[in-house]
Amino acid sequence: MAALFRGYRNFYKRSNNHVELTLVSCRSMASKTPVGFIGLGNMGTPMARNLLKHGYPVIATDVFPESFKELQDSGAQILDCPAEVADKADRIITMLPSSPNVIEVYTGPNGILKKVKKGTLLIDSSTIDPAVSKEMAVAAEKMGAVFMDAPVSGGVGAAGLAKLTFMVGGVEEEFNAAQELLTCMGANVVYCGQVGSGQAAKICNNMLLAIGMIGTAETMNLGIRLGLDPKLLAKILNMSSGQCWSSDKYNPVPGVMEGVPSANNYQGGFGTKLMAKDLGFAQDTATSTHTPIPLGSLAHQIYRAMCARGYSNKDFSSVFQFLREEGV
């Protein structure tokens, strides 16, 4: 079906308005075919749920059985392993924690590539080493499938609201086919270039995010110790030149905002362990490209120290709590 769909898209480029109506009909038919989804964590579950809301039958799996229930109750079909998903769907999205997880899900004994069908579109929304994305693309191509990296920005809240930003890398001719699915889960879908370029954009974004969150946490901590009310300080920052996403949308100080991890003992959200991982990618790529990142390197050290101090599973905005404890 994926190969047929791509053929219709190419035919559309050289056709008239009458055939355009035929293409729209074919898109509608394609949309009713199942979409595979592998990885039902904090991000994957709401993403897959949004596909269901747009009328896509979802076939899913995850290594943790407790992750199944919520999506299964929403109407998804649950299978035992990635290979079984690949046998049933010719469009598959993966959302996994790390490079080793991606390698296992794609190339392991029960991996996608064991039963992938020719023409299948594989979209990986994990944040991983760009080199691993390129390796998976080569492995998929050998099986006649198409692999694209499409990491996301926006966090759990944006995933639930279908307001994620997708940064897509891969063969440009396949971008429209990927975009059809990604627009159901996000507000922005941006083509970045060849395979791995989506990961490159995500790594740069997350390095800035970490630096900004640490700066916001330091600023709020200093203001509080100077006697300022945290809500007042946040209000002033957000109407001044210090305004940033971390201060305005994801404030790290408990009691300043509702609906963010700092209001829930830093539960949920984007884990400190994952931020440390992404900063490690930034450090590695900076070294290989001879790029100075003094603030990025310091941010990496801080988040690694947080992991060593028991913050691994807390949201990355818990750097505020970490800095307060350091200053006692």
Side-chain angles (χ1 to χ4, degrees):
M1 174 62 74
L4 176 63
F5 179 69
R6 289 194 289 274
Y8 272 118
R9 188 174 68 253
N10 291 333
F11 182 55
Y12 163 71
K13 290 179 181 178
R14 58 178 183 272
S15 63
N16 57 30
N17 290 337
H18 173 72
V19 179
E20 181 178 351
L21 296 175
T22 303
L23 177 65
V24 170
S25 176
C26 291
R27 283 186 187 276
S28 177
M29 290 174 61
S31 297
K32 295 177 182 178
T33 63
V35 176
F37 206 106
I38 300 170
L40 303 176
N42 289 339
M43 295 293 290
T45 294
M47 290 169 66
R49 193 186 307 113
N50 282 323
L51 288 171
L52 287 168
K53 288 178 180 177
H54 280 80
Y56 292 89
V58 170
I59 301 173
T61 193
D62 191 281
V63 293
F64 298 108
E66 60 269 23
S67 301
F68 298 164
K69 190 176 186 314
E70 184 177 346
L71 198 65
Q72 193 169 28
D73 290 345
S74 297
Q77 179 184 358
I78 303 299
L79 299 180
D80 289 335
C81 67
E84 291 187 11
V85 174
D87 189 48
K88 301 291 185 181
D90 57 14
R91 295 179 291 176
I92 301 172
I93 298 167
T94 52
M95 187 57 157
L96 304 161
S98 67
S99 296
N101 296 127
V102 170
I103 293 169
E104 176 68 18
V105 162
Y106 278 88
T107 66
N110 294 307
I112 291 170
L113 298 184
K114 290 297 181 182
K115 290 192 176 182
V116 71
K117 293 174 282 189
K118 289 185 178 180
T120 295
L121 177 62
L122 305 171
I123 304 171
D124 181 40
S125 287
S126 317
T127 299
I128 59 172
D129 187 334
V132 173
S133 292
K134 294 174 183 178
E135 291 173 13
M136 295 302 99
V138 171
E141 186 177 13
K142 289 179 180 178
M143 302 303 295
V146 176
F147 178 95
M148 305 186 82
D149 61 305
V152 304
S153 178
V156 175
L161 296 172
K163 291 185 177 181
L164 292 168
T165 292
F166 288 89
M167 294 152 272
V168 185
V171 179
E172 188 170 8
E173 289 75 17
E174 305 297 335
F175 176 65
N176 286 345
Q179 189 177 33
E180 179 203 354
L181 297 178
L182 300 182
T183 52
C184 297
M185 301 177 286
N188 304 293
V189 182
V190 183
Y191 179 70
C192 299
Q194 63 184 357
V195 169
S197 61
Q199 298 294 349
K202 176 62 185 292
I203 289 169
C204 291
N205 178 80
N206 275 21
M207 183 175 73
L208 180 58
L209 176 61
I211 293 168
M213 181 57 76
I214 293 169
T216 300
E218 289 182 348
T219 298
M220 295 297 295
N221 189 31
L222 177 60
I224 291 168
R225 294 192 180 190
L226 289 172
L228 292 171
D229 176 79
K231 287 187 176 181
L232 174 65
L233 178 55
K235 179 180 178 180
I236 292 169
L237 291 175
N238 293 330
M239 63 174 60
S240 305
S241 56
Q243 187 271 344
C244 66
W245 186 85
S246 295
S247 67
D248 190 29
K249 304 295 184 184
Y250 210 84
N251 199 284
V253 181
V256 170
M257 294 181 66
E258 295 296 324
V260 295
S262 63
N264 188 36
N265 195 29
Y266 300 105
Q267 298 304 305
F270 184 59
T272 293
K273 177 172 59 178
L274 295 177
M275 179 56 86
K277 176 204 71 173
D278 292 356
L279 289 168
F281 292 146
Q283 185 70 70
D284 291 343
T285 54
T287 299
S288 65
T289 57
H290 307 288
T291 305
I293 55 165
L295 294 181
S297 296
L298 183 57
H300 186 210
Q301 293 175 36
I302 290 171
Y303 277 101
R304 287 182 65 189
M306 289 175 65
C307 290
R309 291 280 296 275
Y311 285 82
S312 293
N313 296 321
K314 288 183 177 289
D315 180 74
F316 80 108
S317 63
S318 63
V319 67
F320 171 78
Q321 187 180 62
F322 173 75
L323 292 172
R324 282 181 68 81
E325 291 176 355
E326 287 293 298
V328 173

